[in-house]
Amino acid sequence: QLQLVESGGGLVQPGGSLRLSCAPSGFRLDYFAIGWFRQAPGKEREGVSCIGSSSNYTNYADSVKGRFTISRDIAKNAVYLQMNSLRPEDTAVYYCAAMSSCGTTATALKSNIYSWGKGTLVTVSS
């Protein structure tokens, strides 16, 4: 079974923080690059961040760079997205995906994606 589950979303005020988790069912995440994507209401899905299978490569969309941090915990077989200084425009459903490689956030959706999670909703509002 190839399945990913996101968790950690919720309602947070502007300037607040959340940590999203991506956990697998049936495979090891460290065999894959793991990307985080988001889809805001009325907008197309976009790449947010990615971490390579070796965990020594990361990238971020310009809109989140300096605020979000992606990390991998091999022992827990999980990938995290720490989101700080959240803004209302960060409101979206966030998805993680197992990928062949990170590429860039701008082109990640055109890369081979082996599995998607169902998403977790992040709402940033006062």
Side-chain angles (χ1 to χ4, degrees), residues 89-105:
E89 53 264 42
D90 295 318
T91 296
V93 177
Y94 284 72
Y95 304 86
C96 67
M99 307 170 62
S100 58
S101 62
C102 282
T104 67
T105 55

Side-chain angles (χ1 to χ4, degrees), residues 27-34 52-54 72 77 99-100 114:
F27 62 97
R28 291 186 62 84
L29 289 183
D30 59 335
Y31 295 165
F32 303 92
I34 301 296
S53 60
S54 67
R72 184 191 298 272
N77 197 25
M99 307 170 62
S100 58
Y114 301 109

Side-chain angles (χ1 to χ4, degrees), residues 8-125:
L11 176 64
V12 63
Q13 64 183 345
S17 298
L18 287 173
R19 189 181 75 163
L20 305 184
S21 299
C22 178
S25 177
F27 62 97
R28 291 186 62 84
L29 289 183
D30 59 335
Y31 295 165
F32 303 92
I34 301 296
W36 283 99
F37 301 80
R38 67 185 181 187
Q39 189 163 17
K43 296 185 178 180
E44 296 185 352
R45 192 171 299 187
E46 63 177 347
V48 176
S49 183
C50 189
I51 187 165
S53 60
S54 67
S55 78
N56 64 354
Y57 172 82
T58 60
N59 65 35
Y60 300 90
D62 289 343
S63 59
V64 308
K65 193 171 185 178
R67 300 187 297 120
F68 292 9
T69 303
I70 191 169
S71 63
R72 184 191 298 272
D73 188 328
I74 295 175
K76 293 184 177 180
N77 197 25
V79 169
Y80 304 102
L81 185 68
Q82 178 67 45
M83 306 185 296
N84 298 326
S85 302
L86 284 163
R87 305 165 180 169
E89 53 264 42
D90 295 318
T91 296
V93 177
Y94 284 72
Y95 304 86
C96 67
M99 307 170 62
S100 58
S101 62
C102 282
T104 67
T105 55
T107 61
L109 285 171
K110 297 180 174 64
S111 300
N112 285 338
I113 295 177
Y114 301 109
S115 183
W116 286 98
K118 292 184 178 180
T120 185
L121 177 63
V122 172
T123 302
V124 184
S125 177

